[in-house]
Amino acid sequence: MDVVVLIVGAGPAGLATAACLEKQHISYVIIERESCSVSLWRHRAYDRLKLHLAKEFCELPHMAYPIGTPTYVPRGRFVEYLDRYADRYNIKPRYHMAVESASYDGSRLCWVVLVRDVNIGTEVRITTRFLVVATGENSVARVPLVPGLNGFKGEAIHSSAYKSGRGYAEKSVLVVGAGNSGMEIAYDLATHGAHTSIVVRSPVHIMTKELIRFGMTLAQKLPVTIVDVILVMVANFTFGNMSNHGIRRPKMGPLFLKSQTGRSPVIDVGTAELIKEGAIKVFKGISRIDANNVEFHGGMKFPFDAVVFATGYKSTVNAWLKNGESMFKADGFPTKDFPNHWKGENGLYCAGFARRGLAGISMDAKNIADDIVTAINN
């Protein structure tokens, strides 16, 4: 099969890139290993999840949210938006198509991509002039190698398998990871009657959603460093000194830290108050796990019925991309810094790797489509 553009991945990044190509009348094929588009949002997200940023920062290119959509879009409404987006731009991914390898053929000036149809087990060979990696930064779940974890007799799951705190009432549950997912899952567990603890290893900014919305709006007119000073002052007034409860603020401001490292501030849903009240206990780190207990740094040991690893995801692009050294580092993230990360060599592009959420995805998709149009016209 010969195609002009091959997009790998039908998450928001793949859909956005396909829509931008469709607007430019560029032929493409989009493939997806799962049985549906946006499978992370559709099947691997907890029930109470909403977009953590206001909807004006979370639109895909060329389509606003319908009138009446809440400012902070619930997961179900977001999936509906993405489905309508695909319908509007006639995006029809080919599902159950898993890429096994992709390499550049310098003599033919094209990418040769071997894809396995997982339904019937056959292999398809695709040649394409342009290859867009849209598998994103959240490709597969990441669980740390904790000594003794394999011998734990309780329930141990990744946050992608967590749905709700229902069923955990009166159980002792440990959440590992203090990003937005970890903090919100801890809140969900505690409000459903679980005896909840959370591991917070690194400093973290805790903000309100209104404060972050204000900061992102202000950053369009003022330097990020000035905006960060304002955000931290207001957050300190709102939440008080959390260091006595095991929560330390990073030295970098929240927006600058996000731009430099990809680490987002935590949008508080009520977790901070439960931590201050003692309803959610904070630990610094895990030393090991045995059959029933978790031992923390400092030697304290407590029994738990369940452990939820809210430890994020990792990129797997290097497992199949054979000539991507110009674009991707060993960890599967771009070698170039934002905003130049999206373009590699020989017609190779990536979308959704900027660690800038849906706004970053939109920028990538527009840049990629415009660059492909220019290359074709030249």
Side-chain angles (χ1 to χ4, degrees):
M1 180 191 303
D2 296 325
V3 303
V4 178
V5 183
L6 179 66
I7 303 170
V8 181
L15 298 182
T17 304
C20 289
L21 290 170
E22 179 70 21
K23 289 279 287 186
Q24 301 270 25
H25 307 291
I26 302 297
S27 173
Y28 69 89
V29 169
I30 179 169
I31 59 175
E32 167 60 48
R33 68 184 180 187
E34 303 290 345
S35 61
C36 61
S37 63
V38 295
S39 62
L40 181 65
W41 288 92
R42 208 181 295 272
H43 298 309
R44 289 179 282 165
Y46 46 94
D47 292 345
R48 62 169 289 120
L49 178 64
K50 296 180 180 180
L51 295 184
H52 293 116
L53 300 180
K55 62 185 178 183
E56 63 261 31
F57 301 110
C58 298
E59 291 180 350
L60 295 188
H62 312 302
M63 187 172 129
Y65 286 96
I67 295 173
T69 301
T71 301
Y72 297 92
V73 186
R75 178 178 66 92
R77 295 283 289 271
F78 182 57
V79 171
E80 290 174 6
Y81 167 78
L82 294 173
D83 286 342
R84 284 195 294 268
Y85 189 81
D87 288 342
R88 171 178 287 191
Y89 293 104
N90 196 32
I91 303 169
K92 300 184 183 301
R94 301 185 182 189
Y95 298 119
H96 297 293
M97 303 291 280
V99 177
E100 296 196 331
S101 69
S103 57
Y104 187 71
D105 186 336
S107 62
R108 298 177 58 197
L109 303 180
C110 67
W111 288 88
V112 179
V113 185
L114 299 181
V115 180
R116 181 165 297 279
D117 185 326
V118 298
N119 273 340
I120 57 179
T122 58
E123 192 173 76
V124 179
R125 185 175 183 269
I126 302 175
T127 58
T128 181
R129 181 176 173 186
F130 304 101
L131 176 61
V132 181
V133 179
T135 50
E137 57 198 69
N138 297 328
S139 185
V140 295
R142 179 176 59 221
V143 176
L145 298 173
V146 180
L149 177 59
N150 289 338
F152 182 57
K153 292 184 178 179
E155 179 187 16
I157 61 171
H158 186 265
S159 58
S160 57
Y162 178 89
K163 293 300 180 183
S164 168
R166 291 187 298 271
Y168 291 97
E170 299 303 320
K171 293 184 178 181
S172 294
V173 186
L174 175 67
V175 179
V176 182
N180 276 297
S181 293
M183 287 289 203
E184 190 159 354
I185 288 171
Y187 176 84
D188 190 53
L189 285 163
T191 53
H192 277 93
H195 305 296
T196 308
S197 301
I198 187 168
V199 172
V200 184
R201 294 198 308 165
S202 304
V204 60
H205 284 292
I206 297 181
M207 301 270 155
T208 65
K209 59 186 180 182
E210 295 83 7
L211 188 53
I212 286 297
R213 185 186 190 187
F214 169 73
M216 292 181 69
T217 303
L218 203 59
Q220 297 172 3
K221 299 180 179 180
L222 293 176
V224 166
T225 50
I226 294 176
V227 177
D228 274 345
V229 170
I230 298 171
L231 294 184
V232 170
M233 287 177 59
V234 177
N236 284 338
F237 177 79
T238 302
F239 297 104
N241 185 358
M242 297 284 291
S243 60
N244 292 333
H245 304 282
I247 308 293
R248 297 169 292 127
R249 284 200 182 278
K251 293 182 180 179
M252 288 186 189
L255 299 187
F256 186 69
L257 182 67
K258 174 66 175 176
S259 69
Q260 295 298 303
T261 68
R263 289 177 53 200
S264 299
V266 167
I267 310 300
D268 183 58
V269 295
T271 316
E273 189 61 32
L274 293 184
I275 288 174
K276 289 193 286 186
E277 291 174 357
I280 297 176
K281 295 180 173 58
V282 175
F283 295 96
K284 290 185 178 180
I286 299 175
S287 297
R288 65 173 292 104
I289 294 176
D290 61 29
N292 302 106
N293 299 295
V294 176
E295 182 179 330
F296 297 97
H297 294 172
M300 292 183 294
K301 184 184 291 188
F302 297 96
F304 286 95
D305 300 301
V307 179
V308 180
F309 287 96
T311 44
Y313 297 81
K314 59 184 177 181
S315 165
T316 59
V317 61
N318 285 332
W320 53 268
L321 184 62
K322 306 305 179 186
N323 299 105
E325 296 83 0
S326 68
M327 170 157 276
F328 294 102
K329 299 178 292 187
D331 63 358
F333 281 87
T335 56
K336 298 177 184 177
D337 294 330
F338 177 88
N340 303 310
H341 62 285
W342 55 274
K343 183 177 180 180
E345 297 177 352
N346 302 317
L348 179 64
Y349 303 91
C350 70
F353 288 83
R355 289 174 167 151
R356 279 171 166 75
L358 293 159
I361 283 172
S362 295
M363 293 176 64
D364 290 347
K366 293 175 183 176
N367 285 333
I368 291 168
D370 289 345
D371 198 71
I372 288 175
V373 169
T374 299
I376 289 174
N377 289 339
N378 289 338

